[in-house]
Amino acid sequence: MKNSVNLPFNMAEKWQIRHVIPIVIYLIVQLVPATFPSFLSKSQIPSVLGWWLAIGFTVAVIVSFYCLRPDWQKWKAEGNQTDTMDTLKWIGIGIVLLYVSLISVNLVDAWLSGGIENIAKSQNTDQIMQAIQVIPILQVMVVLLGPIMEEFLFRHIMFGNLSTKLNFIFSFVLSGVIFGLIHGDNKFLIYVAMSFVFSLVFVKTRRIIAPIAIHVFNNGIVVLALYATT
């Protein structure tokens, strides 16, 4: 199965409401914690936040799965999805491309910064590691639930719908820029590079599990590496 990168993701019926629901749930899960200081003490916030995010993202993933499943069934019926072996092949290609991209971006960063020793650390990664040390259950969100939800939102919903109006490059650029901005990190290009790989693998396989697998693998490696260096 060879899918063109410009083959649009035609969605199943009632996609508008089905795609809005995951976005609304995601926003609720992300924004509600901002209200915690108004009715919780400082000592209570870490544990409540940890459980809120763990339960919230679990609910978000489950509901999103059922909301998006009709689209996956449609793509399968149309014969656009790759088989198991091709999917695994693209996951492997994606992992290689991901790290080639990340190394390339970091080399450019080192050149612009005047040396590897001058490269700034990722603010987002540091904040995540600090949060995990305070709230260990967040590991599940960072390594598993977060990547799944982000791929549902940014690849299936955002990139997928953009592909019905724009070609691959414009769809990737727009969704990739938003993906980078939403992380609020000083490593913006890293997230854009990741978005490119995730989008490419998704468009070639038409299976959301493929970019999810690469995303989970990457986040797991990052968490393990951070533990190894602390």
Side-chain angles (χ1 to χ4, degrees), residues 118-214:
N118 296 323
I119 296 178
K121 290 184 177 180
S122 167
Q123 297 170 349
N124 186 54
T125 302
D126 283 346
Q127 291 170 357
I128 288 174
M129 196 58 198
Q130 291 170 9
I132 287 176
Q133 291 174 341
V134 176
I135 316 168
I137 197 173
L138 286 182
Q139 293 174 86
V140 178
M141 190 199 78
V142 172
V143 176
L144 184 62
L145 299 178
I148 293 175
M149 198 61 205
E150 287 184 353
E151 294 310 305
F152 284 170
L153 294 174
F154 293 100
R155 246 55 64 188
H156 185 125
I157 296 176
M158 187 175 296
F159 174 81
N161 282 297
L162 285 171
S163 77
T164 64
K165 305 294 183 182
L166 305 169
N167 63 24
F168 174 80
I169 296 298
F170 285 106
S171 300
F172 142 67
V173 169
L174 287 174
S175 60
V177 166
I178 295 173
F179 181 67
L181 291 175
I182 205 73
H183 283 84
D185 196 15
N186 59 328
K187 295 292 184 178
F188 174 75
L189 289 180
I190 289 288
Y191 292 98
V192 174
M194 292 170 65
S195 183
F196 169 76
V197 174
F198 298 152
S199 298
L200 177 63
V201 171
F202 182 42
V203 81
K204 296 300 288 185
T205 62
R206 306 282 153 157
R207 291 182 180 274
I208 197 64
I209 189 63
I212 284 175
I214 301 169

Side-chain angles (χ1 to χ4, degrees), residues 1 5 16 39 90 106 137 161 165 181 193 201 207 226:
M1 172 65 63
V5 293
Q16 294 93 337
F39 59 89
W90 274 104
N106 279 314
I137 197 173
N161 282 297
K165 305 294 183 182
L181 291 175
V201 171
R207 291 182 180 274
L226 289 171

